Amino acid sequence: MIKTFTVLLGYQCLGELIAYAGNLPIPGAVIGMVLLLATLSLRPGFSAAIESDALALLRFLPLLFVPAGVGIMVFAGRVAQDLLPIAVSIVVCTALTIVVTALVGQGLCALWPPSAAARAPLTTPFASPLHADEKTAPAAADIAKVETP
């Protein structure tokens, strides 16, 4: 466990050093995570060495939320005064995140090559909302005629 913790802290320190030396606007912890991801991708054996201990460290992840909760309790009066701007910013940022994620997903799907494998036909009557011609949806009267098993 000590070895894994040392490796994780080493990557964070390396990221902080790169961010500080390069005067980068990216947090050092993020740079360290990217470097760790690159190492794990390039050396598969490395992940096996730290995986079990890293999973054990994840059990203590909820403890990291304690300082944020204490901060909200200490500054509850200030949060209450600024509740409307905080709520609006949360809603707007959440909506923007969903929109940007959808756009990035669509962009990646457009770049991804279509699958060459033929897809097997669906076997259950409820698997597809389309008629056999796969272009039109069945009418409501057709749906009512479907027998259930």
Side-chain angles (χ1 to χ4, degrees):
M1 172 97 49
I2 298 294
K3 178 184 168 191
T4 301
F5 196 64
T6 304
V7 168
L8 295 175
L9 285 178
Y11 275 96
Q12 181 179 0
C13 288
L14 182 61
E16 293 289 345
L17 180 67
I18 291 171
Y20 180 76
N23 198 18
L24 300 173
I26 303 169
V30 173
I31 295 173
M33 282 195 309
V34 170
L35 292 173
L36 179 61
L37 176 64
T39 303
L40 292 171
S41 297
L42 296 174
R43 296 183 55 206
F46 185 69
S47 65
I50 66 169
E51 182 179 8
S52 63
D53 292 337
L55 290 174
L57 285 172
L58 283 177
R59 289 185 306 169
F60 301 107
L61 188 64
L63 290 176
L64 298 176
F65 295 105
V66 171
V70 170
I72 289 175
M73 290 173 58
V74 168
F75 295 106
R78 177 68 191 244
V79 171
Q81 290 175 352
D82 296 330
L83 189 59
L84 182 62
I86 291 171
V88 169
S89 65
I90 288 173
V91 169
V92 169
C93 290
T94 301
L96 283 174
T97 300
I98 291 171
V99 169
V100 169
T101 302
L103 292 174
V104 169
Q106 285 181 341
L108 289 174
C109 286
L111 293 174
W112 203 266
S115 176
R119 297 181 187 239
L122 300 170
T123 57
T124 64
F126 302 105
S128 174
L130 302 177
H131 279 296
D133 64 2
E134 295 187 0
K135 294 181 181 170
T136 59
D142 292 340
I143 293 174
K145 295 177 188 175
V146 175
E147 295 180 20
T148 57

